[in-house]
């Protein structure tokens, strides 16, 4: 017999769920498909979560689960009572009779990296936003507007800039770059058509012929080209890091020395083309430690434990969950 | 008995077609619905054109038509033999047995404003691009990448910036602006929800719940707010004019004094918020007269006449067509 908690992080392309003891020992972690209710629909996201919970609890008694915290992108989802009920019903099919708490992806990411109550978190994966955290909740948001309106410095943004730079190089309005070949190979079926204006048209058509968000899949071409010394790709990484640092500045108070948490494929790796540049900019402009979080899983599980003992600091539980 | 030509300008939201004599007398002009093959599909665009031609030729003998020039956005359409054949077949149903010439929207717009062979044209309506014209053909293009990849300074871009500025004002990350009220009224059903983060979410959802290009319909909110003294709207008009001037710089050679033609809802009006700013920037940076074209109709008809007498200057025909 043990008291258990469930922490989950519902992402657009993959979801993770962990079962842990209230002492912070992680017993099992499972990965599922994309389970974000905004992108996949509430019913499907709830069913995906219940499915992951069943797999994770195969060797445990669902009746021992005391708290469930679900990290999910987008405040809108948290505001919708119908969405909550769909998750409650889905969990009930896995014999979990607990009302889950929904927490934003920024909060669970922040709490994954640190047990401190205040700070800031920068999320830069497919999308991008910076959030001021006060008492483990969102106090202010910068960008995070989605690909259509913002997300500058995100993987979507890097991918779009890669296409723009490729076209500029083709048309002679920008410098030559290795991105032209890489982007053309990725977007076009077969070799690029000639002359130049057909190549240009083919790239525009191809980019517009897929869901816009698919431009995010081109971001790794930029980081690869940068690693191989491409100057244009390097300039795009500079620009992305600069935009992300500005995003952080929008949620950072003067002289603040609280932790800065970075999360997401674009910035997580401290040695990566954007992660390295961003850390250099942060070191020059902000105080406070820079911590990286893999995702929001630890934070979700820790917040689940905290919900059972709201007055406690539970830093040891946090340390244990991070192992 | 007269020798006739047809000029047409196929736009995204409306199309125009004129029947003129080869001497330059316009006999009849008709407007039809959106007939752009890129946005509406080739078959529908061809049928729309044939329908307009039938209406325009109701009192004339289709057998007297000697040449047809169709102005259309996007080089891609011009390169597709299947698309050409669809138009030939559609015209044949109106008893016009002429192979039409397809000409880009930039060329017909340029030729609408001037009979000169060389210069530049800036198109800024729903989309935005600048084109260097040599011998009445496109010699270089700047932007014109479509809303997903570019079109900076276009109506789409202004509309998107209006939403961004509204959200920034709501969240306190940007200055207050009259755009917040105007954009919220346009995008939301009913009064904006409270608190702030719900208002923000509602605007993001509404903008993403329509076809992205529909953001262009918000551009008039920016120009109206500017006229009423809104500082944020004024700054957006500054930024749009600056981007359009940069676009022009990309196709303008040093010291060039050829005509600069502007066309499209964003820039056509010399007294409009962006048109005025753009003309001031042009006066400071470029030589050459700034001419405005309403659309490409005159240019299409004139190019149709020119195709019959390729060696002639035909400036008088041009003057007559512009009446």
């Amino acid at each position: 017999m043990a008291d258990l908690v469930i922490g989950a992080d519902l992402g657009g392309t993959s979801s993770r769920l962990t079962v842990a003891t209230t002492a912070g020992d992680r017993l099992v972690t499972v990965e599922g498909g994309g389970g974000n209710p905004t992108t996949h629909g509430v019913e499907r996201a709830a069913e995906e979560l219940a499915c992951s919970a069943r797999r994770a609890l195969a060797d445990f008694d669902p009746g021992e689960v005391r708290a469930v915290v679900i990290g999910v992108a987008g405040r809108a989802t948290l505001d919708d009572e119908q969405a909550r009920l769909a998750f409650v019903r889905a969990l009930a099919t896995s014999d979990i009779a607990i009302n889950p708490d929904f927490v934003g992806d920024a909060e669970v990411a922040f709490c994954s990296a640190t047990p401190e109550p205040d700070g800031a978190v920068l999320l830069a994966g497919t999308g991008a936003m910076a959030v001021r955290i006060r008492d483990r909740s969102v106090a202010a948001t910068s960008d995070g507007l989605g690909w259509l309106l913002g997300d500058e410095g995100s993987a979507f943004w890097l991918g779009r800039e890669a296409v723009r730079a490729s076209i500029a190089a083709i048309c002679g309005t920008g410098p030559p770059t290795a991105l032209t070949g890489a982007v053309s190979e990725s977007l076009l079926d077969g070799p690029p058509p000639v002359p130049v204006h057909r190549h240009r048209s083919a790239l525009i058509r191809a980019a517009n012929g897929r869901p816009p968000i698919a431009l995010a899949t081109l971001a790794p071409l930029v980081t690869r080209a940068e690693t191989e010394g491409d100057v244009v790709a390097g300039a795009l990484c500079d620009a992305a890091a600069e935009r992300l640092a500005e995003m952080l500045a929008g949620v950072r108070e003067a002289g603040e020395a609280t932790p800065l948490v970075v999360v997401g494929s674009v910035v997580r790796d401290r040695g990566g083309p954007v992660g390295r540049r961003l850390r250099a900019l942060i070191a020059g402009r902000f105080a406070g430690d820079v911590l990286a979080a893999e995702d929001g899983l630890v934070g979700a599980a820790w917040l689940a434990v905290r919900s059972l003992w709201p007055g406690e600091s539970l830093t040891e539980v946090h340390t244990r969950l991070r192992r």
Side-chain angles (χ1 to χ4, degrees), chain A:
Chain A
M1 278 288 288
D3 280 336
L4 303 179
V5 297
I6 287 179
D9 189 41
L10 308 188
T13 51
S14 71
S15 294
R16 291 173 81 209
L17 180 146
T18 194
V19 175
T21 67
T22 53
D25 295 308
R26 279 165 66 173
L27 304 175
V28 58
T29 299
V30 300
E31 299 208 15
N36 188 298
T38 312
T39 43
H40 296 86
V42 168
E43 294 295 335
R44 197 181 132 195
E47 182 47 48
E48 185 75 35
L49 178 79
C51 191
S52 292
R54 270 194 296 277
R55 282 164 54 212
L57 289 169
D59 297 329
F60 304 96
D61 177 4
E64 292 175 2
V65 176
R66 301 281 170 259
V68 179
V69 168
I70 302 173
V72 60
R75 294 290 295 254
T77 312
L78 315 181
D79 295 337
D80 182 352
E81 191 57 29
Q82 289 303 313
R84 287 173 179 272
L85 284 174
F87 279 95
V88 171
R89 278 194 303 269
L91 287 173
T93 66
S94 307
D95 299 319
I96 302 169
I98 299 279
N99 267 5
D101 276 342
F102 293 93
V103 178
D105 52 351
E107 290 102 317
V108 289
F110 183 80
C111 292
S112 283
T114 175
E116 293 290 318
D118 301 334
V121 54
L122 176 76
L123 296 96
T126 306
M129 72 169 163
V131 170
R132 180 187 302 150
I133 299 284
R134 290 294 179 265
D135 199 17
R136 300 182 187 92
S137 292
V138 172
T141 304
S142 179
D143 206 333
L145 300 174
W147 64 265
L148 179 59
L149 297 172
D151 284 4
E152 300 199 341
S154 67
F156 168 82
W157 185 91
L158 276 171
R160 185 176 62 187
E161 293 304 309
V163 181
R164 286 167 54 87
S166 300
I167 291 173
I170 292 167
C171 299
T173 54
T177 165
L179 290 170
T180 304
V183 166
S184 298
E185 192 178 339
S186 176
L187 286 182
L188 306 180
D189 298 324
V194 285
V196 159
H197 77 83
R198 289 193 190 222
H199 189 178
R200 177 183 185 277
S201 295
L203 287 179
I204 294 173
R205 266 202 308 277
N208 282 278
R210 324 185 309 166
I213 197 68
L215 285 174
T217 62
L218 302 177
L221 304 183
V222 179
T223 46
R224 192 177 314 145
E226 190 273 352
T227 308
E228 291 164 2
D230 188 78
V231 174
V232 171
L236 291 185
C237 294
D238 285 344
E242 182 55 52
R243 278 167 165 78
L244 296 171
E246 276 173 31
M247 218 177 271
L248 259 178
V251 299
R252 199 72 175 159
E253 291 178 351
E256 191 177 346
T258 57
L260 273 166
V261 175
V262 297
V263 62
S265 58
V266 174
V267 292
R268 198 170 41 208
D269 180 5
R270 70 168 61 236
V274 180
R276 189 177 72 241
R277 287 167 166 84
L278 176 67
R279 281 167 178 78
L281 292 175
I282 288 176
R285 296 185 199 176
F286 308 111
D289 292 333
V290 178
L291 310 172
E294 196 182 347
D295 58 16
L297 199 62
V298 165
W302 188 63
L303 289 172
V305 178
R306 271 184 58 87
S307 71
L308 301 171
W309 292 282
E312 306 291 322
S313 65
L314 299 171
T315 51
E316 277 179 37
V317 174
H318 193 273
T319 305
R320 210 171 289 134
L321 282 168
R322 279 176 65 83
R323 272 178 204 157

